[in-house]
Amino acid sequence: MASDAPQKPAAKKPAVKKPAAKKAAAKQAEVKTASDVVDQGESVLTAAQLSSASASPTSPILRLTPFGELQPWHRTARHELGVTEMRGQPHNDRILQYHASTTLRATTDEVPWCSSFLCWVMEQTGILSTRSAAASSWLQWGIPLAEPQVGCLVILKRPGGHHVGVYEGRQQDGRLALLGGNQRDKVSIAGFNERDVLGYRWPDVYAKPKR
């Protein structure tokens, strides 16, 4: 028989705070991913900044062109951000694919591969590359530009050789931000001094960019 006595209200369960460990781990993973993709010395761009039209005030690049506004070869290059050499053996198969686009056809990822990377990028986009593993070969490719335009190739002198990368924009310190291969052993965006530039080149099968 049911009792008419008033029932005691059920005790409320104390609120359980979710541990912050998961959030901290996620944040740490995000930073690691970003540093693997874009290397600017002490400064690192986040994935959000990469997909944004304008970088934040703390970003090394004053303005980052949105992916959808990039030239086809530039988009192909951006897709490769983060490809990294493997210490010792085995070698990174992706980098060996870059090498296979050149007449050298190197079989290790320890052979300088900035030119191989761009040969692969251009060929993937249907543009004839230099098919050379030498970065200086790009000085005779396409058409010259008087000043850098987003997407153009920039050829520079480096200690003991040359380097080539895709122009992304200017950093706040005035240096040129280039997307390239073999930049700290990976495909990344890094800053270079304008005084080292030997030339700016644009594919001759595409209209010369307007200033």
Side-chain angles (χ1 to χ4, degrees):
M1 187 173 179
S3 173
D4 292 331
Q7 300 293 320
K8 293 183 179 180
K12 291 184 178 180
K13 294 182 179 180
V16 179
K17 292 184 178 181
K18 294 182 179 179
K22 288 187 178 180
K23 289 185 179 181
K27 190 173 179 100
Q28 186 176 4
E30 181 184 352
V31 171
K32 182 178 179 181
T33 301
S35 63
D36 285 343
V37 171
V38 186
D39 195 334
Q40 294 283 358
E42 295 300 320
S43 304
V44 176
L45 296 182
T46 65
Q49 288 171 337
L50 268 177
S51 61
S52 172
S54 298
S56 71
T58 59
S59 168
I61 300 179
L62 294 178
R63 182 182 184 277
L64 197 66
T65 303
F67 186 84
E69 296 178 15
L70 300 177
Q71 296 289 349
W73 65 89
H74 198 165
R75 292 198 297 268
T76 300
R78 279 252 190 112
H79 272 303
E80 299 299 299
L81 281 167
V83 173
T84 307
E85 291 180 18
M86 298 173 67
R87 295 186 181 277
Q89 292 185 355
H91 302 288
N92 190 317
D93 287 339
R94 191 57 153 185
I95 296 176
L96 299 188
Q97 290 177 27
Y98 301 158
H99 281 317
S101 299
T102 71
T103 55
L104 181 63
R105 301 182 72 84
T107 56
T108 79
D109 59 12
E110 295 167 4
V111 173
W113 48 278
C114 65
S115 181
S116 298
F117 169 65
L118 286 177
C119 285
W120 181 89
V121 165
M122 292 299 173
E123 299 287 344
Q124 290 292 310
T125 317
I127 301 172
L128 184 64
S129 71
T130 66
R131 295 181 179 170
S132 171
S136 59
S137 66
W138 295 92
L139 285 168
Q140 307 302 321
W141 173 87
I143 56 178
L145 298 179
E147 59 184 34
Q149 301 287 339
V150 173
C152 78
L153 300 195
V154 183
I155 304 91
L156 314 97
K157 60 183 178 180
R158 301 297 305 279
H162 300 83
H163 184 66
V164 61
V166 181
Y167 182 68
E168 284 278 2
R170 282 192 184 273
Q171 296 185 173
Q172 291 183 349
D173 61 9
R175 293 192 300 166
L176 307 181
L178 303 185
L179 190 171
N182 202 28
Q183 296 180 172
R184 295 202 178 186
D185 300 332
K186 58 189 172 186
V187 179
S188 65
I189 298 175
F192 295 86
N193 294 320
E194 190 170 13
R195 65 174 178 268
D196 295 327
V197 172
L198 298 174
Y200 305 111
R201 310 296 293 193
W202 190 264
D204 53 14
V205 292
Y206 279 77
K208 200 171 182 178
K210 296 179 181 180
R211 292 182 61 184

